[in-house]
Amino acid sequence: MKIELANGKTGKTLLTVDVTKADSILDVKKKHIKEKTYLYPSRICYKLSLKDKALTDDVKIGDIETLTDGSVLYFKDLGPQIGWATVFIAEYTGPIFAYLIFYVFNTCSWIYPDNEGAPHNTVQNLACACYVGHYVKRILETIFIHRFSKATMPIGNLFKNCTYYWGFSSLISYFINHPLYTVPSTDTQVYIGLSIYLFGELGNLSTHLAFKNMRPAGTKTRVIPMPNGNPFCALFNLVSCPNYSYEVMSWIGYGVLTQTFFSGLFALVGGARCYSGSSKTIATTRKSSKTIPRTEKL
């Protein structure tokens, strides 16, 4: 049978392809690419109507009841794409170098003109270890733990995310390693901040491992998050994305430890981003599973 591929904005037919009921949406994309060689599968989006959600690559033509001979699939060019893991590694590697520049070269007059050559104090050393350690952890999680539901994202996200992480890292490090930096007035505040930070990091790692075990390798399965035997995962009883909760907790602890404006601002902005991310995750999980009641906690 033949189906038409139409421009999702204008409705104009772009080309007609021959398909069988055994073909998948991915097969349709491959036929489309033969005609438009600048395209690739992750850049192509097909919908049955302009209001419908995108058809996934594994959907079979024969399983789409409304798709018959002469039917139309609406095409949208998603633009240049880049792998999620690639973006994560880029946005997490930058902060390590951005932070270390100001930490390692804190005695350089071209960075700190007022520097008197004073060595790092204990809080500055702890702050560096915590900050760099956080992003080393994130890189390792990206490589060995995370299982992504989507293979790619728009390449523009790479520049947006890198600007966010690299920029904040530079500001945070600049002021923490500044020769005029003032440490918290009591050791108690330092210990409390460090304890909150470490607790948040362990909780974040624990929930990432739990999420990994909820999604079998090679699948895009979404399930209702549930606690396991790990005490850090008990937070699943209260929220859907405790990894974000622990993430914010870590940065609040870091702000208490370092007592700088930009550390606190980073925790605040990061908390807003985490809230937005968790809301999108909940909405996507509901849409992808018809078995989840609307009243079910997510």
Side-chain angles (χ1 to χ4, degrees):
M1 64 187 232
K2 296 181 181 294
I3 59 174
E4 295 181 1
L5 302 180
N7 186 301
K9 292 183 178 179
T10 64
K12 180 181 178 181
T13 300
L14 301 175
L15 69 153
T16 302
V17 295
D18 290 308
V19 297
T20 67
K21 291 186 176 181
D23 284 339
S24 66
I25 291 298
L26 179 59
D27 294 322
V28 178
K29 289 182 178 182
K30 291 178 179 178
K31 294 176 182 181
H32 193 166
I33 292 169
K34 288 182 179 179
E35 299 294 329
K36 305 291 183 180
T37 55
Y38 69 91
L39 295 173
Y40 42 89
S42 60
R43 185 169 175 169
I44 298 173
C45 169
Y46 292 135
K47 295 181 179 182
L48 291 172
S49 72
L50 300 181
K51 296 182 179 180
D52 286 332
K53 64 179 182 179
L55 296 167
T56 57
D57 287 351
D58 58 343
V59 172
K60 298 291 185 181
I61 297 298
D63 294 334
I64 306 175
E65 296 180 357
T66 58
L67 203 61
T68 58
D69 187 41
S71 292
V72 176
L73 284 181
Y74 292 93
F75 158 72
K76 179 180 180 181
D77 183 356
L78 299 177
Q81 300 287 299
I82 188 171
W84 273 76
T86 302
V87 173
F88 275 25
I89 291 175
E91 68 188 37
Y92 298 155
T93 301
I96 296 175
F97 291 102
Y99 195 99
L100 289 177
I101 286 174
F102 298 100
Y103 177 80
V104 173
F105 298 105
N106 74 313
T107 58
C108 293
S109 59
W110 52 274
I111 296 180
Y112 298 116
D114 299 328
N115 178 59
E116 298 179 356
H120 293 296
N121 57 51
T122 301
V123 174
Q124 288 173 321
N125 289 332
L126 281 174
C128 180
C130 289
Y131 203 89
V132 172
H134 174 83
Y135 286 100
V136 169
K137 165 183 163 292
R138 281 194 167 191
I139 292 171
L140 293 175
E141 287 175 338
T142 299
I143 298 172
F144 298 108
I145 296 178
H146 290 329
R147 289 174 177 168
F148 301 102
S149 59
K150 294 182 178 180
T152 64
M153 66 171 74
I155 198 169
N157 287 2
L158 172 66
F159 303 104
K160 179 178 66 177
N161 292 3
C162 285
T163 299
Y164 169 75
Y165 284 107
W166 297 18
F168 258 115
S169 298
S170 298
L171 288 169
I172 290 170
S173 182
Y174 176 84
F175 288 102
I176 290 177
N177 294 294
H178 197 284
L180 299 180
Y181 170 69
T182 303
V183 300
S185 57
T186 66
D187 289 343
T188 301
Q189 179 178 333
V190 174
Y191 296 143
I192 290 175
L194 181 60
S195 298
I196 295 173
Y197 168 84
L198 292 175
F199 185 85
E201 290 293 286
L202 288 172
N204 182 260
L205 174 60
S206 297
T207 50
H208 280 160
L209 288 169
F211 276 125
K212 176 186 178 182
N213 295 330
M214 292 177 196
R215 174 173 290 163
T219 72
K220 298 180 180 180
T221 303
R222 290 182 180 272
V223 299
I224 300 177
M226 299 295 290
N228 54 26
N230 188 324
F232 283 104
C233 294
L235 199 56
F236 275 115
N237 288 315
L238 301 176
V239 296
S240 304
C241 303
N243 55 315
Y244 290 136
S245 302
Y246 285 121
E247 174 89 6
V248 175
M249 188 183 300
S250 289
W251 291 118
I252 290 175
Y254 191 81
V256 173
L257 166 67
T258 59
Q259 195 177 265
T260 62
F261 171 77
F262 282 105
S263 295
L265 181 62
F266 186 60
L268 180 64
V269 176
R273 285 168 59 93
C274 287
Y275 177 79
S276 175
S278 63
S279 298
K280 291 177 181 178
T281 298
I282 291 171
T284 303
T285 303
R286 289 194 186 280
K287 288 180 180 178
S288 64
S289 178
K290 297 180 180 179
T291 63
I292 300 176
R294 295 300 302 175
T295 55
E296 180 66 50
K297 179 199 79 67
L298 273 179

